[in-house]
Amino acid sequence: MGIAGASLLISTLISSLQGDNSALGYLATFFVLMGKYGITGAFSSVFLFTSELYPTNLRNSGYGFACAFASIGGVLAPFANTFHRYVAWGPGVVFSIMCFLSAIMTFYLPETRGRELPTSIEELKMWYKEHSGILTSGTKQNKDFVEPKIN
């Protein structure tokens, strides 16, 4: 997501400043393709990682809920062309910001490699409390950690 966000932002900047320079157009196209590479890799890994975040008894529902929110982006994407007519740099900046926010929020997810996945809500609460991303740097536990509310 970071590669996609940075590439999209650079491409938007170059496209806005290029004028009649065709060499900058080729450079902008290169960054667009790099952004597509980044977003394709991120999108593929999201489907693998999302199912690991939910306990066994809620995995299908949680995965469906995440897919529903992913579809919102698919519904809004066609309106980017209309937005581009009014503000040429707008869609690139908006999508770039969304990529950066997604990349930052990923650091707060727990590490799932080498761990047994939770099977119940109680195990999930303990798992998030003990293994939540940035909040558990090193061996010390973060005393200010707020447990996620899961019903």
Side-chain angles (χ1 to χ4, degrees), residues 3-5 7-8 30-40:
I3 290 170
S7 297
L8 185 57
F30 169 76
F31 280 109
V32 165
L33 293 175
M34 286 301 295
K36 285 186 175 199
Y37 163 76
I39 201 68
T40 301

Side-chain angles (χ1 to χ4, degrees), residues 60-79:
N60 287 336
S61 299
Y63 188 73
F65 189 68
C67 287
F69 272 99
S71 297
I72 292 173
V75 169
L76 294 177
F79 295 105

Side-chain angles (χ1 to χ4, degrees), residues 80 82-92:
T82 306
F83 186 32
H84 180 72
R85 289 183 198 149
Y86 295 104
V87 183
W89 50 268

Side-chain angles (χ1 to χ4, degrees), residues 7 10-12 14-15 18 23-33:
S7 297
I10 292 169
S11 174
T12 302
I14 291 171
S15 296
Q18 84 176 13
L24 287 179
Y26 293 129
L27 189 62
T29 303
F30 169 76
F31 280 109
V32 165
L33 293 175

Side-chain angles (χ1 to χ4, degrees), residues 61-131:
S61 299
Y63 188 73
F65 189 68
C67 287
F69 272 99
S71 297
I72 292 173
V75 169
L76 294 177
F79 295 105
N81 191 26
T82 306
F83 186 32
H84 180 72
R85 289 183 198 149
Y86 295 104
V87 183
W89 50 268
V93 170
V94 169
F95 288 131
S96 180
I97 288 171
M98 291 299 138
C99 286
F100 286 132
L101 285 175
S102 297
I104 290 169
M105 288 189 290
T106 301
F107 288 114
Y108 290 98
L109 295 173
E111 176 60 51
T112 60
R113 185 178 60 174
R115 304 205 195 303
E116 188 174 326
L117 297 178
T119 57
S120 67
I121 299 291
E122 291 77 27
E123 286 181 24
L124 182 71
K125 287 180 182 181
M126 291 302 297
W127 189 52
Y128 270 91
K129 193 172 188 178
E130 295 171 2
H131 302 100

